[in-house]
């Protein structure tokens, strides 16, 4: 493992040893305790690698939960941000700015949508979609046409409306009363969806691949049925592509892998490569629903954030990263299946598309493996106790994938020295 000395870290970050150790105490004392922190403090990143305060090197198969889509500190993205930071950061959406207009044009040209609403996060992108759905329903079908159908086990964000849309009660239980008009169906169950949709449905909101819910791809039949049911009942079909979008599944947007075009698509995570930006894209009547005064956001799509997203789109195209996601994703699936064959008491099946992969872990040991992997120089995470989640940068090479799998095997042997079969 390549090591970096503390001097290198200090030079690169301007942090001294004292600040590095103080940060943990400051965090514990003064940051609201909404996260259970992993025991590592990263100070620098390059490509698929992260470096911690002690100068240890890690392979990053999480990329900030699908955010650092082009890897850490990609030189092209860094340069674009440096130039924009010295030119214009922000002026307000009262004025148009070229980077935002350019980004909207490119997103529309690269997709099946006609207009974009910019925001700063995934939850906000879904809020925009829900507001469009409600206004669209009320305008086309009267004041009862406001129902939003989402799937069990889904995840759509942390605002009051998006925890309500999220089909996992643990996220919303303590925050009642919740907005009315949401209902839930089992994912990938066509009959249940058919039974739930009616003339009062404003929208069906689905993730093409459930992310937080454990990397569960929708079946083609399910998304096709959702499209047909939405059309039959005059409802909108919304795909939450906050995690699946921007090349993650091996096509630019996951809906393209299925060939099912929704009316609205929401984006965030990988779009800015690490700079916060979200987007809600719509076509047809959904694209024309919001009028001046209906919605807005102070920071959204400012010149810096839009420049980041424009740079990410450049890199995706120049480096053929959607192809890379498919190729390296397939390679990882093969390697994970080999590990599963070697350690069947520990690992179960592999699920996913492109570089959005989940591995089942037996006996609820997912978090134990995550901790052991961190020790072995590998960053990944767990959704629940039973699934390891891999969301590497789309720039990951097969050599880096192999190196990561060697570290994963080390972690497996660490938690279960007798893990090897026979
Ligand atoms: C992460 C995520 C969100 C929420 O995004 P934030 O930027 O955290 O608000 C919404 N939907 C999906 C599918 C996500 O993966």
């Amino acid at each position: 493992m390549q090591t970096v000395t503390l001097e290198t870290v200090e030079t690169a970050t301007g942090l001294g040893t004292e600040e590095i150790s103080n940060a943990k105490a400051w965090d514990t004392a003064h940051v609201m305790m909404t996260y259970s922190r992993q025991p590592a403090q990263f100070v620098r990143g390059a490509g698929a690698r992260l470096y911690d305060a002690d100068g240890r090197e890690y392979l990053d198969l999480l990329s900030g939960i699908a955010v650092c889509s082009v890897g850490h500190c990609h030189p092209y993205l860094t340069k674009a941000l440096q130039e924009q930071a010295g030119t214009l950061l922000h002026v307000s959406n009262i004025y148009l700015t070229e980077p935002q207009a350019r980004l909207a044009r490119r997103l529309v040209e690269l997709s099946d949508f006609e207009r974009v609403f910019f925001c700063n996060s995934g939850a906000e992108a879904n809020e925009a979609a829900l507001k469009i759905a409600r206004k669209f329903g009320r305008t086309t079908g009267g004041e009862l046409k406001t129902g939003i159908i989402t799937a069990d086990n889904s995840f759509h964000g942390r605002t009051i409306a998006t925890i309500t849309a999220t089909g996992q009660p643990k996220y919303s239980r303590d925050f009642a009363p919740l907005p009315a008009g949401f209902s839930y169906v089992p994912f990938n169950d066509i009959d249940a969806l058919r039974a739930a949709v009616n003339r009062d449905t404003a929208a069906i909101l689905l993730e093409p691949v459930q992310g937080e819910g454990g990397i569960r791809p929708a079946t083609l039949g399910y998304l096709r049925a959702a499209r047909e049911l939405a059309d039959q009942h005059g409802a909108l079909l919304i795909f939450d592509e906050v995690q699946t979008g921007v090349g993650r599944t091996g096509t630019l947007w996951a809906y393209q892998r299925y060939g099912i075009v929704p009316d609205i698509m929401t984006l965030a995570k990988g779009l800015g490569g690490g700079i916060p930006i979200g987007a809600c894209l719509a076509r047809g009547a959904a694209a024309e629903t919001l009028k001046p005064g209906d919605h807005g956001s102070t920071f959204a799509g400012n010149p810096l954030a839009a420049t980041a997203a424009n740079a990410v789109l450049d890199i995706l195209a120049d480096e053929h990263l959607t192809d890379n996601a498919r190729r390296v994703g397939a390679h990882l699936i093969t390697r994970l299946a080999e590990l599963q064959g070697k350690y069947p008491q520990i690992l179960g099946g592999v699920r996913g598309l492109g570089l959005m992969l989940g591995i089942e872990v037996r006996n609820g040991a997912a978090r134990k493996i995550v901790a052991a992997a961190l020790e072995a120089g590998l960053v990944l995470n767990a959704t629940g106790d039973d699934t390891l989640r891999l969301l590497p940068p789309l720039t990951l090479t097969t050599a880096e994938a192999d190196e990561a799998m060697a570290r994963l095997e080390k972690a497996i042997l660490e938690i279960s020295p007798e893990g090897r079969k026979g």
Side-chain angles (χ1 to χ4, degrees):
M1 218 187 302
Q2 180 198 338
T3 51
V4 174
T5 65
L6 192 55
E7 288 70 50
T8 331
V9 172
E10 288 180 16
T11 320
T13 61
L15 287 181
T17 335
E18 198 183 338
E19 283 91 337
I20 286 169
S21 56
N22 280 343
K24 190 173 182 334
W26 296 334
D27 178 69
T28 307
H30 305 304
V31 176
M32 283 198 196
M33 295 279 98
T34 58
Y35 307 101
S36 27
R37 305 269 198 216
Q38 294 291 314
Q41 193 184 326
F42 299 116
V43 295
R44 192 168 71 84
R49 293 179 200 268
L50 282 169
Y51 301 87
D52 74 9
D54 302 320
R56 289 191 62 213
E57 172 266 345
Y58 299 77
L59 266 167
D60 183 6
L61 290 203
L62 187 60
S63 50
I65 315 193
V67 167
C68 303
S69 45
V70 296
H72 295 281
C73 301
H74 191 293
Y76 182 90
L77 175 58
T78 301
K79 183 161 177 286
L81 285 171
Q82 283 169 339
E83 282 174 8
Q84 190 59 47
T87 308
L88 186 68
L89 285 181
H90 181 89
V91 286
S92 158
N93 280 312
I94 297 172
Y95 310 95
L96 80 81
T97 50
E98 200 274 347
Q100 183 187 111
R102 174 186 299 273
L103 178 60
R105 177 184 64 81
R106 296 177 76 185
L107 289 173
V108 162
E109 277 176 11
L110 290 166
S111 71
D112 290 270
F113 302 93
E114 291 154 20
R115 289 187 185 277
V116 187
F117 173 81
F118 288 108
C119 52
N120 315 285
S121 67
E124 287 172 284
N126 288 328
E127 287 276 348
L130 293 171
K131 283 180 75 172
I132 292 171
R134 283 278 163 83
K135 188 173 177 196
F136 168 86
R138 297 171 69 92
T139 342
T140 59
E143 59 186 52
L144 291 180
K145 194 173 176 62
T146 53
I148 311 282
I149 298 173
T150 70
D152 290 345
N153 230 17
S154 58
F155 184 83
H156 299 296
R158 300 289 202 151
T159 62
I160 289 283
T162 56
I163 55 174
T164 310
T166 292
Q168 301 188 61
K170 67 174 180 189
Y171 288 107
S172 57
R173 210 163 21 223
D174 292 340
F175 304 102
L178 302 172
F182 289 80
S183 58
Y184 312 90
V185 290
F187 191 54
N188 275 339
D189 181 337
I190 295 175
D191 292 334
L193 187 60
R194 185 171 293 122
V197 187
N198 58 44
R199 65 160 180 254
D200 292 338
T201 305
I204 304 168
L205 166 61
L206 296 169
E207 294 158 88
V209 182
Q210 289 190 331
E212 307 298 309
I215 315 288
R216 292 172 201 283
T219 61
L220 175 58
Y222 188 63
L223 295 188
R224 192 177 282 149
R227 179 68 276 175
E228 284 168 11
L229 287 164
D231 289 341
Q232 275 165 27
H233 295 274
L236 298 175
L237 180 62
I238 305 170
F239 282 178
D240 177 345
E241 293 226 27
V242 169
Q243 198 164 142
T244 56
V246 199
R248 176 61 47 194
T249 66
T251 46
L252 198 48
W253 323 114
Y255 79 80
Q256 294 169 323
R257 278 210 81 154
Y258 288 89
I260 307 288
V261 186
D263 303 292
I264 297 179
M265 169 174 79
T266 56
L267 302 174
K269 292 197 164 88
L271 184 58
I275 297 294
I277 182 167
C280 173
L281 284 71
R283 66 193 180 101
E288 310 299 335
T289 299
L290 296 181
K291 303 286 186 232
D294 278 344
H295 201 36
S297 164
T298 298
F299 292 123
N302 80 15
L304 190 75
T307 295
N310 279 317
V312 165
L313 293 179
D314 286 344
I315 297 166
L316 248 62
D318 289 351
E319 301 185 9
H320 307 286
L321 293 186
T322 52
D323 294 341
N324 192 64
R326 227 170 312 153
R327 195 176 54 243
V328 179
H331 181 76
L332 270 173
I333 289 178
T334 309
R335 298 301 314 277
L336 287 168
E338 283 166 20
L339 277 182
Q340 199 277 330
K342 253 166 119 176
Y343 306 103
Q345 312 84 318
I346 297 182
L347 299 181
V350 182
R351 296 185 295 265
L353 284 178
L355 282 175
M356 182 172 182
L357 297 171
I359 323 153
E360 252 168 60
V361 176
R362 303 204 195 284
N363 306 319
R367 290 178 212 281
K368 252 163 83 181
I369 295 183
V370 167
L374 195 65
E375 277 294 308
L378 177 64
V379 174
L380 37 76
N381 95 327
T383 65
D385 297 325
D386 306 315
T387 307
L388 288 179
R389 177 163 60 164
L390 274 54
L391 297 164
L394 307 178
T395 50
L396 193 78
T397 64
T398 47
E400 287 164 341
D402 288 342
E403 209 181 334
M405 289 304 98
R407 293 183 192 184
L408 179 58
E409 181 164 13
K410 200 171 155 209
I412 291 169
L413 286 170
E414 190 61 42
I415 68 151
S416 169
E418 289 82 45
R420 198 178 284 270
K421 186 168 54 174

